[in-house]
Amino acid sequence: MSKKFVIAVSRQYGSGGHEIGRKLAQKLGIKFYDKELLAKIAQDSGMSKNLIEYYDEMPSKSLLFSLAMDAYPMSFTEVPINQKVFQAQVETIKKIADEGSCVIIGRCADSILSDMPNMVSVFIHADMDAKIARVKERDSLSEDKARERIIKTDKKRASFYNFYSLDKRWGEVSSHDLTIDSGKLGINKSVDLLCEYIRLRGFTD
């Protein structure tokens, strides 16, 4: 490794973004954070891990958010719980970025680390048929249920990202350094492409 860097991966549901990020981290010999990040946020902030998981990538202006507010009532003058959770997330993501090179999945990492010169923002996507096939096999769902879950989850992720990343839009080309169609390349070739991109950027030898 010639430089410390962070790869922030945003992904459509069913595109294989988690697997691509995990394999990329393994291939580069760096740390990987997806659900692992939630435990670290809880540890750093002292908040309940269940609470962190409850608000994980939760959109703020939605019915889901309203229900969450009912579940965790607060006084008018208090900072909303989702804001507290997000601030804890910001602090933890900045902390792990300072510690060394890593891959971070989702959670607005690219926006949080936008001032970091050695941060690479990647968006993994695929066509609907490819995503449905993956979700059907992985989650043992019918085609209709897989499609429904994909649409619902991507709507949630986009809402969360767009709410907190004020100057970027989820999935737009201008919001990311690199976008990859994993449906066309497959998992392993997507990883290879990312490794080459990281090398060309001068972050690895």
Side-chain angles (χ1 to χ4, degrees), residues 40-82:
K40 191 161 180 59
I41 294 169
Q43 179 183 355
D44 291 347
S45 67
M47 293 182 185
S48 162
K49 185 171 181 287
N50 288 338
L51 182 65
I52 300 295
E53 289 176 346
Y54 188 84
Y55 284 96
D56 183 33
E57 294 190 312
M58 179 181 286
S60 292
K61 294 181 178 178
S62 67
L63 175 60
L64 185 61
F65 175 69
S66 298
L67 293 174
M69 291 298 96
D70 291 339
Y72 293 93
M74 66 197 72
S75 71
F76 180 77
T77 56
E78 280 187 309
V79 175
I81 295 177
N82 71 306

Side-chain angles (χ1 to χ4, degrees), residues 3 7 60 63 70 93 98 101 106 157 169 175 194 201 203:
K3 295 180 180 178
I7 304 169
S60 292
L63 175 60
D70 291 339
I93 286 175
D98 286 339
S101 297
R157 287 176 177 173
R169 303 294 293 176
S175 297
L194 279 166
R201 286 284 299 271
F203 300 147

Side-chain angles (χ1 to χ4, degrees), residues 1-12:
M1 272 332 142
S2 56
K3 295 180 180 178
K4 180 175 69 176
F5 60 92
V6 174
I7 304 169
V9 179
S10 298
R11 73 288 184 218
Q12 291 180 337

Side-chain angles (χ1 to χ4, degrees), residues 103-138:
V103 174
I104 303 175
I105 303 295
R107 298 166 184 91
C108 293
D110 60 332
S111 180
I112 291 168
L113 301 174
S114 60
D115 293 335
M116 181 179 178
N118 291 349
M119 187 276 295
V120 176
S121 174
V122 179
F123 188 79
I124 308 295
H125 60 98
D127 63 43
M128 183 59 78
D129 288 343
K131 290 186 292 186
I132 288 174
R134 173 179 289 277
V135 173
K136 279 176 61 179
E137 180 178 357
R138 185 189 65 199

Side-chain angles (χ1 to χ4, degrees), residues 109-178:
D110 60 332
S111 180
I112 291 168
L113 301 174
S114 60
D115 293 335
M116 181 179 178
N118 291 349
M119 187 276 295
V120 176
S121 174
V122 179
F123 188 79
I124 308 295
H125 60 98
D127 63 43
M128 183 59 78
D129 288 343
K131 290 186 292 186
I132 288 174
R134 173 179 289 277
V135 173
K136 279 176 61 179
E137 180 178 357
R138 185 189 65 199
D139 301 340
S140 300
L141 295 174
S142 68
E143 180 171 333
D144 287 343
K145 289 293 184 182
R147 183 188 301 274
E148 181 182 347
R149 182 173 293 183
I150 289 165
I151 293 171
K152 182 178 179 179
T153 305
D154 280 351
K155 184 177 180 180
K156 172 186 169 183
R157 287 176 177 173
S159 178
F160 176 83
Y161 185 94
N162 295 342
F163 182 82
Y164 286 109
S165 302
L166 299 179
D167 59 338
K168 297 181 178 183
R169 303 294 293 176
W170 189 78
E172 286 189 358
V173 174
S174 60
S175 297
H176 306 280
D177 298 318
L178 184 67

